[in-house]
Amino acid sequence: MIRQAGSRQQTIKEKNRALVLQAVLNQNIVSRAEIARSLGLTKTTLTNLVSELIEEGILTESEAISPESGMGRKSIGLDLAENAPLICGVLIQRGNLHVILSNLKGEILADSRCRYTGLISPATFREKLAELYRQTRSQSRQQILAVGVSCVGPLNIVDGTLLNPHNFFTEPFEFPIVSFLEELSGVPVWLCNDATAGAIAEKLWGKGRSQDNFVYISTFNGIGAGFYLENKLYNGEYGQNGELGHMSINFLGPKCACGNNGCLELYADIPTIVNGYRHFREYLPNHPLLRMESPTILDVLTFIDAGDVLAMSILTEYCRYLAAAVSNLISQLNVNLVILAGSPRTTSSFFEHTLTYMMNQNSPIGKYRQNLVVKSDFGLDSPLYGSAGIVLDKIFSAEIPPSPPIPAG
């Protein structure tokens, strides 16, 4: 299908509205003069756009702002209105369901969470999610603009379905998450992979804010990736672009649950790697990592914080596999910044430094352009903030308005 190249006048206005709103939300309290100067809008155009946003209850006039020179008249600032519509964010991960209410600045105002162990039945999943939504929704009387869902894959964002995520449901099941939440909430619902949501959070508020190109990598709930390319979110045709853990790094390797051979997650797997070190029990009989039934990457990072050499060896092997896949990925995308999810409970930079070193060793142009791995400021919460960011991304790209439609009649 050939896409239309032209722009309607209304479309230009909608994009300018979105830019004005983004300028206010990104800088807290700002003046009309600052916005007009940064966006290149005339005073008349800006006045009309701001008046509409104030009338709709999105923005409000705030305290007077002194000019940068310290001389002249103070100008009236703009800020988010106290009763502006909220966003509902839903995070769906293995063992974790989380529902939040956020304002248009991405500030979490209410949340409810359910943690569980093992697999979950589709019926229980439906009940728990509905219960969490109602519990969170009851904490505010403000309007809900839309719901953003950040979810483990695989999924289909076109028809809004979870495609039987691996190690998730107790039985094979494709869950119509978008239609379920739209019926429950009565507002539009947007779905994306949790790693993609993490990338959105980084672009809006984190390490990717000033970057046109970067990859966000999460390794704490499967291995996923989200991308910003040429300052635009890349979400793929069906939203399955984040499945980095199911990239094959050995086509003669063992069969994965996804049906592929030699997937990254079969090798970059902490319990499997630790099991290869069990012979060290003879020398380290009381080492907790060697006695854990199913150690996690967070366990390994915690020991690295304490200077544990065995944990460093385990993570080094983990990084060797991860670096192979990420190097292949970013060399194809021509991206050199990787934002890595990390636990706020750990302080060591060993993970990102080791991954950076190995990626540059693997890169054919590593000597000319160094890849950089940085730790997310959100810890493990980028996909949670990104669940609200999904809706904000739609607003800032003028795909949806920042206020609910006025009911007919």
Side-chain angles (χ1 to χ4, degrees):
M1 182 180 74
I2 299 176
R3 298 185 184 275
Q4 296 292 328
S7 294
R8 299 179 292 111
Q9 188 68 29
Q10 183 65 20
T11 301
I12 296 173
K13 177 183 177 181
E14 290 165 357
K15 289 181 177 179
N16 284 336
R17 271 170 51 101
L19 289 172
V20 170
L21 181 61
Q22 187 172 10
V24 175
L25 298 181
N26 282 350
Q27 301 178 50
N28 295 320
I29 302 172
V30 293
S31 69
R32 287 170 171 80
E34 289 175 309
I35 297 172
R37 185 168 58 249
S38 64
L39 299 181
L41 298 175
T42 66
K43 182 179 179 180
T44 301
T45 298
L46 181 64
T47 298
N48 292 336
L49 294 174
V50 169
S51 295
E52 286 185 7
L53 290 167
I54 291 176
E55 185 178 340
E56 293 171 13
I58 308 301
L59 296 182
T60 186
E61 293 183 332
S62 58
E63 62 190 64
I65 301 174
S66 300
E68 293 179 5
S69 63
M71 302 176 63
R73 295 177 58 186
K74 292 184 177 180
S75 58
I76 301 299
L78 295 170
D79 199 1
L80 180 66
E82 184 178 353
N83 292 316
L86 303 180
I87 296 169
C88 178
V90 177
L91 176 63
I92 300 171
Q93 295 176 316
R94 294 174 184 87
N96 180 39
L97 304 177
H98 203 155
V99 179
I100 62 171
L101 290 182
S102 158
N103 64 18
L104 297 183
K105 290 183 177 181
E107 297 168 340
I108 296 176
L109 307 178
D111 73 306
S112 303
R113 170 180 286 188
C114 171
R115 293 193 183 275
Y116 63 92
T117 57
L119 306 181
I120 188 170
S121 71
T124 301
F125 174 75
R126 182 188 298 268
E127 293 168 6
K128 291 292 185 184
L129 202 53
E131 179 184 343
L132 286 175
Y133 174 80
R134 295 189 185 101
Q135 182 179 339
T136 308
R137 182 68 185 93
S138 67
Q139 298 179 53
S140 176
R141 294 184 177 182
Q142 288 173 242
Q143 282 185 299
I144 302 296
L145 177 62
V147 177
V149 183
S150 165
C151 183
V152 295
L155 45 80
N156 185 332
I157 62 172
V158 175
D159 62 15
T161 305
L162 309 190
L163 302 176
N164 187 32
H166 312 297
N167 300 318
F168 191 84
F169 289 127
T170 54
E171 59 191 81
F173 195 80
E174 296 184 358
F175 193 91
I177 186 67
V178 168
S179 61
F180 169 71
L181 286 173
E182 284 182 339
E183 183 177 347
L184 182 66
S185 66
V187 298
V189 175
W190 303 90
L191 171 67
C192 80
N193 183 282
D194 59 344
T196 299
I200 293 173
E202 296 297 335
K203 181 62 178 177
L204 290 175
W205 307 293
K207 292 283 179 63
R209 192 167 182 173
S210 60
Q211 303 295 322
D212 289 344
N213 301 282
F214 68 88
V215 177
Y216 168 81
I217 303 288
S218 176
T219 62
F220 289 82
N221 208 293
I223 301 176
F227 317 96
Y228 264 86
L229 305 175
E230 297 183 353
N231 209 30
K232 293 182 180 178
L233 176 70
Y234 178 74
N235 208 13
E237 190 73 19
Y238 295 98
Q240 298 185 34
N241 55 291
E243 297 294 327
L244 180 62
H246 295 287
M247 173 190 289
S248 178
I249 60 172
N250 180 8
F251 67 91
L252 295 177
K255 181 76 76 173
C256 179
C258 73
N260 201 2
N261 286 88
C263 287
L264 173 63
E265 286 189 5
L266 297 176
Y267 299 90
D269 178 69
I270 292 298
T272 300
I273 294 173
V274 170
N275 191 55
Y277 284 80
R278 298 294 182 190
H279 59 283
F280 276 83
R281 280 185 173 179
E282 180 180 350
Y283 310 101
L284 301 168
N286 298 316
H287 198 293
L289 272 178
L290 300 179
R291 304 184 69 84
M292 290 180 182
E293 184 175 339
S294 186
T296 67
I297 190 170
L298 182 55
D299 294 323
V300 173
L301 291 173
T302 301
F303 280 102
I304 288 175
D305 270 358
D308 188 90
V309 176
L310 178 64
M312 293 180 187
S313 299
I314 291 168
L315 192 68
T316 298
E317 185 170 342
Y318 179 91
C319 285
R320 187 173 295 114
Y321 295 119
L322 184 60
V326 177
S327 295
N328 289 336
L329 178 69
I330 65 176
S331 65
Q332 295 301 312
L333 298 177
N334 194 28
V335 174
N336 72 319
L337 175 65
V338 175
I339 301 175
L340 189 66
S343 170
R345 298 188 347 230
T346 61
T347 58
S348 171
S349 300
F350 186 86
F351 192 2
E352 53 265 38
H353 288 174
T354 303
L355 187 59
T356 297
Y357 174 79
M358 291 185 173
M359 285 170 53
N360 288 322
Q361 288 291 103
N362 292 344
S363 173
I365 60 172
K367 65 176 70 175
Y368 308 107
R369 188 198 67 181
Q370 293 288 295
N371 297 308
L372 178 64
V373 181
V374 297
K375 186 177 178 179
S376 169
D377 292 332
F378 287 101
L380 303 180
D381 286 336
S382 294
L384 177 64
Y385 282 89
S387 63
I390 296 166
V391 178
L392 277 174
D393 180 73
K394 301 288 183 184
I395 294 173
F396 292 158
S397 59
E399 293 183 51
I400 60 175
S403 56
I406 299 173

